[in-house]
């Protein structure tokens, strides 16, 4: 039994060393081709929509580390079996490791936008992993022979040396891989020109006077991040191009500088993810800098048949946007800046799309490299293939930020506060209901335009006991937030947020 455990450990250690080697080689080629990440990404793409929604609801943005952890755990189980088998028949055990590598190589090569070169990290994993297993099993069997012959010798130490050296090697390769990724061109090296059409001065939000309410502008580092990626693209600006093709008079290929040379608009726009539950965190407000979408489309000259802009990212991931909505006069843009700086890699460096009023999955393509004017009949985007809606305007919604659900607060003078959004229409009113009583009109914070969320608060004389608080928003056009409960799939959640608080 002890022997088995030891060999299971050998299998796991060998696999770890192999993974670390693959990760290091991938950091030089393309981080996404790292065996663990490639398998993880394939799992994401193959996961049925309901399961994915469940994972997002259950784990939030921790879903990615959990997925990577699960892939590693699965690999560890197989690696342990491989290690045990390798004790008696080395190549049988090694073939289990090799099977894992073949799966990883296939995942890396079959990713959209990948090529044969993306199999190299898996190859490095195979060589290192099998080599490590060979070293460990040979050191151990040498030690076994010594025990049998009762001759004291250095081989037991040999096992320790092999184990220690391999563990250190795995950690070192992991560290170097991280360093290499960090060395790549940084968005903070990019200086952006000023907007030709700047946004008005940004008003001071309510958050200082009414603590607990989400800050009026979401700090970039706190901005929610939702995408299908496990590693960030390493796209730089020197070799960046944006292609506009499909049903256009003239196909365009623009460099990053070409985009900066055009007129730039600056707008305050609130993004929202379709996966945001009522009361959820996947919404944030930022100041975006970019080229007006219609300026670009006019340059290319859109033909008569297109009804969809199919955006493609650096890796071939696609996002669809309804052409008529994006060009109806709203401030849709191809953004290069966020909150006064270049886009961070997490949020689409160097270039992304932002369309006020549409959920991110049908508009906000990050790491954008191509816009194809086409039709929904002809081409389907990533989420369209997964049965999500194609026309997905953001639903009017409101959220209570303070007090928190199930919070215990002191009785007396206090306030209820939060945010509300109805992009492209603007918030007209926010109403709060305490214990099912009359809808009371909340005070609104300053406005940064119809595409931006609005903070709100309602002074409240809190009496001891348990209370139910409910919020709803009304747009400037008088459209009332829908009370009908809906799940995020397929076109966004609806219903009123209701929380319970205890007043002491
Ligand atoms: N290339 C790419 N762009 C993408 C996504 C993606 O998975 N890949 N996710 C979209 C979704 S679902 C949303 S809600 C927004 C989120 O943008 P953020 O991460 O900058 O907040 O990006 C959109 N753009
Ligand atoms: Mo999203």
């Amino acid at each position: 039994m002890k022997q088995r455990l030891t060999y299971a450990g050998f299998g796991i250690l060998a696999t770890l060393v192999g993974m670390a080697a693959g990760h290091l080689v991938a950091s030089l080629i393309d981080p996404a081709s790292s065996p663990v990440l490639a398998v993880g990404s394939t799992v994401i793409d193959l996961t049925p929509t309901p399961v994915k929604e469940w994972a997002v609801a259950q784990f939030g943005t921790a879903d990615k580390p959990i997925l990577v952890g699960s892939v590693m755990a699965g690999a560890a189980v197989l690696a342990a079996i491989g290690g045990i088998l390798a004790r008696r028949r080395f190549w049988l055990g090694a073939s289990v490791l090799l099977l894992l590598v073949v799966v990883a190589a296939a995942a890396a090569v079959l990713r959209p936008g990948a090529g044969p070169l993306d199999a190299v990290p898996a190859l490095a994993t195979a060589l290192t992993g099998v080599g490590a297993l060979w070293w460990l099993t040979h050191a151990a069997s040498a030690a076994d022979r010594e025990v049998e012959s009762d001759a004291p010798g250095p081989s037991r130490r040999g096992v320790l040396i092999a184990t220690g050296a391999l563990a250190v090697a795995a950690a070192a390769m992991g560290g170097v891989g991280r360093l290499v990724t960090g060395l790549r061109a940084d968005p903070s090296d990019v200086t952006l020109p000023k907007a030709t059409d700047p946004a008005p001065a940004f008003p001071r939000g309510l958050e200082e006077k009414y603590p607990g309410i989400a800050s009026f502008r979401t700090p970039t580092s706190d901005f929610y991040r939702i995408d299908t990626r496990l590693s960030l693209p390493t796209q730089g600006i020197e070799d960046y191009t944006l292609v506009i093709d499909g049903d256009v008079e003239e196909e365009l290929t623009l460099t990053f500088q070409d985009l900066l040379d055009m007129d730039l608009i600056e707008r305050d726009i609130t993004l929202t993810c379709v996966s945001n539950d009522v009361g959820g965190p996947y919404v944030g407000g930022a100041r975006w800098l970019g080229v007006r979408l219609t300026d670009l489309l006019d340059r290319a000259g859109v033909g008569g048949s297109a009804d969809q802009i199919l955006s493609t990212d650096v890796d071939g991931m696609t996002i669809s946007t309804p052409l008529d909505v994006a060009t109806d006069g709203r401030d849709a843009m191809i953004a290069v800046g966020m909150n006064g700086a270049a886009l961070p890699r997490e949020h689409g460096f160097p270039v992304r799309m932002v369309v006020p009023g549409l959920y991110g999955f049908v508009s906000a393509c990050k790491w954008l490299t191509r816009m194809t004017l086409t039709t929904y009949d002809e081409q389907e985007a990533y989420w369209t293939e997964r049965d999500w809606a194609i026309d997905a305007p953001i639903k009017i919604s409101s959220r209570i930020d303070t007090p928190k659900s199930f919070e215990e607060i002191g009785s007396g003078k206090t306030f209820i506060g939060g945010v509300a959004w109805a992009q492209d229409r603007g918030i007209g009113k926010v109403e709060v209901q305490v214990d099912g009583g009359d809808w009371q009109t909340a005070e609104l914070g300053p406005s940064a335009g119809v595409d931006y969320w609005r903070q709100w608060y309602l002074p409240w004389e809190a009496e001891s006991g348990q209370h139910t608080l409910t919020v709803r928003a009304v747009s400037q056009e008088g459209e009332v937030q829908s009370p009908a409960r809906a799940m995020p799939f397929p076109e966004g959640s609806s219903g009123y947020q209701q929380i319970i608080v205890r007043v002491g």
Side-chain angles (χ1 to χ4, degrees), residues 165-190:
L166 289 172
V168 170
M173 288 190 285
V176 173
R178 195 157 301 190
L179 262 179
V180 171
T181 320
L183 284 178
R184 288 178 198 270
D186 197 65
S188 63
D189 298 339
V190 176

Side-chain angles (χ1 to χ4, degrees), residues 224 226-227 272-276 282 359-362 364 383 388:
Y224 82 90
I226 296 281
D227 52 63
T272 310
C273 180
V274 69
S275 296
N276 196 43
Y282 306 141
Y359 285 116
F361 82 110
V362 285
W383 278 296
W388 287 83

Side-chain angles (χ1 to χ4, degrees), residues 81-108:
I81 296 172
I84 293 169
L85 292 175
R87 184 178 158 213
R88 300 243 180 270
R89 295 167 67 188
F90 178 77
W91 281 106
L92 186 64
S95 63
V96 177
L97 263 61
L98 288 173
L99 185 76
L100 281 171
V101 171
V102 169
V103 171

Side-chain angles (χ1 to χ4, degrees), residues 380-392:
E380 286 202 331
Y382 183 88
W383 278 296
T384 317
E385 287 168 359
R386 287 159 180 76
D387 297 329
W388 287 83
I390 51 171
D391 190 4

Side-chain angles (χ1 to χ4, degrees), residues 69-342:
S70 312
V71 170
M72 305 246 318
V77 171
L78 287 174
I81 296 172
I84 293 169
L85 292 175
R87 184 178 158 213
R88 300 243 180 270
R89 295 167 67 188
F90 178 77
W91 281 106
L92 186 64
S95 63
V96 177
L97 263 61
L98 288 173
L99 185 76
L100 281 171
V101 171
V102 169
V103 171
V109 173
L110 296 177
R111 278 181 318 120
L117 196 64
D118 288 282
V120 174
L123 199 66
T125 300
L127 291 174
T128 328
V130 172
L133 188 65
W134 190 86
W135 187 11
L136 289 164
T137 48
H138 276 70
S141 61
D144 283 349
R145 279 197 300 277
E146 268 165 26
V147 172
E148 278 157 24
S149 67
D150 260 357
S155 303
R156 202 154 272 287
R157 228 179 34 196
V159 176
L160 285 178
I161 290 174
T163 314
L166 289 172
V168 170
M173 288 190 285
V176 173
R178 195 157 301 190
L179 262 179
V180 171
T181 320
L183 284 178
R184 288 178 198 270
D186 197 65
S188 63
D189 298 339
V190 176
T191 19
L192 297 174
K194 289 223 175 327
T196 25
D197 179 357
F202 191 72
R204 199 188 199 106
L206 294 181
E207 64 271 18
E208 277 165 42
K209 251 181 112 184
Y210 296 90
I213 297 180
S215 66
F216 197 32
R217 181 183 292 170
T218 312
T220 305
S221 55
D222 293 348
F223 207 91
Y224 82 90
R225 174 185 166 200
I226 296 281
D227 52 63
T228 58
R229 300 194 60 104
L230 291 172
S231 64
L232 291 170
T234 53
Q235 177 68 52
I237 50 168
E238 310 75 27
D239 55 347
Y240 174 82
T241 54
L242 172 63
V243 173
I244 304 178
D245 64 1
D247 183 17
V248 289
E249 279 154 30
E250 188 198 349
E251 194 173 307
L252 295 181
T253 302
L254 302 163
T255 64
F256 189 68
Q257 191 57 47
D258 290 338
L259 290 173
L260 299 191
D261 290 343
M262 291 181 71
D263 285 346
L264 296 179
I265 59 170
E266 182 185 53
R267 294 292 183 268
D268 296 313
I269 298 168
T270 294
L271 294 194
T272 310
C273 180
V274 69
S275 296
N276 196 43
D277 272 316
V278 170
Y282 306 141
V283 51
R287 176 160 285 198
W288 306 93
L289 176 75
V291 179
R292 200 180 263 290
L293 175 68
T294 44
D295 285 357
L296 278 169
L297 296 183
D298 288 349
R299 254 175 90 165
V302 176
S305 67
D307 61 8
Q308 167 184 227
I309 305 172
L310 189 74
S311 299
T312 307
D313 83 358
V314 281
D315 286 319
M317 200 275 184
T318 51
I319 287 195
S320 68
T321 307
L323 177 64
D324 55 346
V325 179
T327 55
D328 71 354
R330 69 186 72 204
D331 289 324
M333 64 164 101
I334 300 307
V336 293
M338 176 182 188
N339 291 339

